Amino acid sequence: MSGWIEDYALIGDMQTAALVGRDGSVDWLCLPHFDSPACFSALLGDEQNGNWWMRPANGEPRAARRRYRPETLVLESEWDTPEGSVRVIDFMPPRGGAPHIVRIVEGLAGTVRMQTALRLRFDYGNVVPWIHRSGTELVAIAGPDSVWMSSPVPLEGHNFLHDATFTVSAGQRVPFVLTWHPSQVEESDHLDAEKALSRTERFWRNWVDQCTYEGEYRDAVVRSLITLKALTYRPSGGIVAAPTTSLPEDVGGVRNWDYRYCWLRDATITLEALIRSGYTDEAQAWREWLVRAVAGEPQHMQIMYGVRGERRLSEWEADWLPGYEDSRPVRIGNAAVGQYQLDVYGEVMDVLHLARRSGLQGGEHVWGLQRSLVNYLEWCWDEPDEGLWEVRGPRQHFVHSKVMAWVAADRAVRMIEDFGKEGPIERWKALRDTIHAEVCEYGYDARRNTFTQYYGSRELDAALLLMPEVGFLPYSDPRIVGTIEAIRDDLMIDGFVMRYRTDREEAADHLPGNEGAFLACSFWMANALLSIGREKEARELFDRLLALRNDVGLLAEEWDASSGRQVGNFPQAFSHVPLVTTALNLSHQNGHRRG
């Protein structure tokens, strides 16, 4: 059985990623890319679905200590046994040709007897490969995939796995290198593990050196930025929401989604975090991915795309996998790709305006794209939609969606006013004013002094915390202060913020079960409290959020206070990005913000 979600650490090569447990088991790995079928799927089942573990033969199965080497994505896990101590170093070198996972076993004290077992299961645990030897290497082949294992330790096959027992003494280092190739490749790339380790450490430390943030939360910010970089698909610049699928928001329930794609909702906050932290190259690559992905007719713009900009992300169920702690179904693909979400037009206009303000240059075709989006928005902004949270209930007039339609019109006007672009400014000003007036009339509950989730609803939505952040109203407006206080009173459960209430009959998503507190929303609340002058409350909430990170500084999507554990896909970019921006704001570090 897989460990708790926070038991895992991330390693990756900026084209895919693996999750390594405290027990020394690699339980999740998709090859060759983030959205490829997994060859280790124990995370969503058990070891028979594929994993690769490495640990002492005697003693506690869980590592006594683990950490990332400072300012890198190189993981160290250490075990103490009666015979001595041992360290396992796990990493994936930044991709050159083939993808590799490298595991180096290092003796620290005494002589420790080690065990390793490799179970390769292609196609999400569904296919047992044919395995043979090629010289000193072990080769597993099935369909389009082949995986090669190279090590001075010979692995022996039985019961559909390959394992070995070996010893390591103080000062000794034993490497294992796992490499993926297309199955027609007849010889593996040979990687020197020690040279790859030095090269990988140097890459990450050189990258971290570009970070301009030097505030009190630097360690947390750097770890979040490294995580964000690891979730970047380097060839295209796209950033996946998470490297996993179907880790549940409600353990044992059906709220299980595939997050190995790029969401437009993340666009502006991601760009802001990168620019304000000094990573203009990554910001430029993300913006260029966005422009390529959304190119085409505006009515066909999607809420998410594949890492290369793919549009077809059809959802299906891997019914042979039992799911994480029996959380079924296991979904591959995401049917929300077909939803209509009005807010994406505002997100695209916002990110392109922020990019222009920040000095990122784009061709005239980018303004042509923006013009077409706003022209289309004039005809569709007053339609109901599924909203930011991709609810699978009926469409509504979600207030956040209308606010983001206002953002689209506002940014179009500002592109003309601030940067001399050509366009029907008076018409777009009128559109902006019309949307603003409607939201204030139909999306605001004067009796309770709060904006609501959708027109006519009494429910709240944490996305309303973004209204002043995008410039719809200032933080000083009593309606905004009232909304922040109402969300704090109604959606803050056990000290953290829910997206919306799922335990009421009026719940918008129409799904069974509940979910945990949404960590991005909790960071938004900390930022909102800071912005209305309640810095002490903001810092207290931010410190509580930092305390939820696991021992290597990673966050999932949500926090389940009732069980005291992280839930949802992991690690989650949408949690780490607002951590960075909130830390920047708490440290009063200036930079290019959204509104």
Side-chain angles (χ1 to χ4, degrees), residues 464-509:
L464 300 171
L465 294 169
L466 298 176
M467 294 177 71
E469 199 67 13
V470 299
F472 185 85
L473 287 170
Y475 277 105
S476 59
D477 191 293
R479 292 167 293 181
I480 292 297
V481 175
T483 300
I484 294 169
E485 292 175 339
I487 291 172
R488 181 194 59 191
D489 294 342
D490 189 52
L491 298 186
M492 185 172 276
I493 309 296
D494 296 313
F496 304 102
V497 180
M498 311 289 290
R499 292 188 294 181
Y500 47 82
R501 296 297 291 259
T502 59
D503 57 349
R504 294 175 180 156
E505 187 176 340
E506 299 85 0
D509 65 15

Side-chain angles (χ1 to χ4, degrees), residues 197-496:
L197 175 59
S198 297
R199 187 171 65 251
T200 302
E201 285 193 82
R202 186 166 57 251
F203 169 87
W204 284 108
R205 288 180 176 144
N206 288 342
W207 188 81
V208 169
D209 282 345
Q210 301 173 52
C211 180
T212 57
Y213 175 72
E214 296 294 343
E216 60 197 293
Y217 304 109
R218 180 175 168 82
D219 287 347
V221 166
V222 165
R223 181 51 52 197
S224 291
L225 288 169
I226 289 174
T227 302
L228 190 62
K229 179 69 170 175
L231 298 180
T232 300
Y233 184 69
R234 198 175 183 183
S236 70
I239 302 172
V240 297
T244 56
T245 180
S246 299
L247 290 181
E249 298 170 7
D250 180 24
V251 175
V254 300
R255 296 171 181 264
N256 319 316
W257 318 108
D258 193 344
Y259 272 22
R260 297 171 299 158
Y261 308 113
C262 308
W263 266 257
L264 298 191
R265 72 180 182 197
D266 304 0
T268 313
I269 61 170
T270 300
L271 192 81
E272 177 191 349
L274 290 170
I275 290 172
R276 293 180 67 192
S277 303
Y279 291 100
T280 54
D281 287 348
E282 284 74 13
Q284 181 80 31
W286 172 237
R287 195 212 66 149
E288 290 176 358
W289 171 88
L290 178 74
V291 171
R292 292 194 303 271
V294 303
E297 295 179 300
Q299 63 266 34
H300 295 148
M301 192 163 70
Q302 300 179 177
I303 68 168
M304 73 179 85
Y305 297 85
V307 293
R308 293 161 292 272
E310 301 93 332
R311 293 172 178 253
R312 297 186 184 275
L313 310 176
S314 302
E315 183 177 301
W316 55 278
E317 297 177 5
D319 55 10
W320 60 87
L321 286 171
Y324 178 87
E325 294 191 19
D326 295 319
S327 302
R328 295 182 177 90
V330 170
R331 292 183 171 95
I332 310 300
N334 199 312
V337 70
Q339 287 192 350
Y340 173 57
Q341 292 184 18
L342 188 62
D343 63 285
V344 297
Y345 298 94
E347 292 292 355
V348 172
M349 291 297 294
D350 197 20
V351 75
L352 294 178
H353 179 257
L354 176 61
R356 185 67 179 83
R357 283 172 50 212
S358 304
L360 302 184
Q361 299 300 317
E364 193 59 31
H365 70 285
V366 177
W367 175 238
L369 168 66
Q370 292 176 270
R371 285 180 59 125
S372 69
L373 293 180
V374 181
N375 287 335
Y376 175 70
L377 192 68
E378 290 183 87
W379 298 99
C380 70
W381 73 268
D382 56 352
E383 296 294 323
D385 73 335
E386 274 94 0
L388 172 71
W389 304 125
E390 299 150 27
V391 298
R392 300 201 175 190
R395 291 181 177 180
Q396 304 286 355
H397 290 282
F398 286 101
V399 171
H400 174 265
S401 296
K402 304 301 186 190
V403 168
M404 293 309 296
W406 174 90
V407 167
D410 176 74
R411 302 314 189 252
V413 169
R414 290 164 65 178
M415 288 293 290
I416 296 171
E417 292 178 336
D418 299 343
F419 303 112
K421 299 296 184 181
E422 293 186 1
I425 187 169
E426 295 304 324
R427 199 175 83 210
W428 289 346
K429 282 183 176 180
L431 173 64
R432 181 178 65 177
D433 293 345
T434 298
I435 298 173
H436 198 282
E438 182 182 286
V439 169
C440 291
E441 180 175 358
Y442 296 109
Y444 175 68
D445 184 338
R447 187 177 63 83
R448 293 187 295 157
N449 188 32
T450 182
F451 287 92
T452 60
Q453 186 176 39
Y454 53 87
Y455 293 176
S457 171
R458 289 185 53 79
E459 295 298 315
L460 301 177
D461 190 324
L464 300 171
L465 294 169
L466 298 176
M467 294 177 71
E469 199 67 13
V470 299
F472 185 85
L473 287 170
Y475 277 105
S476 59
D477 191 293
R479 292 167 293 181
I480 292 297
V481 175
T483 300
I484 294 169
E485 292 175 339
I487 291 172
R488 181 194 59 191
D489 294 342
D490 189 52
L491 298 186
M492 185 172 276
I493 309 296
D494 296 313
F496 304 102

Side-chain angles (χ1 to χ4, degrees), residues 171-217:
Q172 184 181 4
R173 293 161 74 98
V174 181
F176 295 79
V177 179
L178 184 146
T179 304
W180 180 92
H181 288 290
S183 58
Q184 69 270 17
V185 173
E186 297 182 355
E187 184 175 356
S188 174
D189 283 357
H190 297 286
L191 186 78
D192 184 301
E194 296 292 348
K195 289 181 179 178
L197 175 59
S198 297
R199 187 171 65 251
T200 302
E201 285 193 82
R202 186 166 57 251
F203 169 87
W204 284 108
R205 288 180 176 144
N206 288 342
W207 188 81
V208 169
D209 282 345
Q210 301 173 52
C211 180
T212 57
Y213 175 72
E214 296 294 343
E216 60 197 293
Y217 304 109

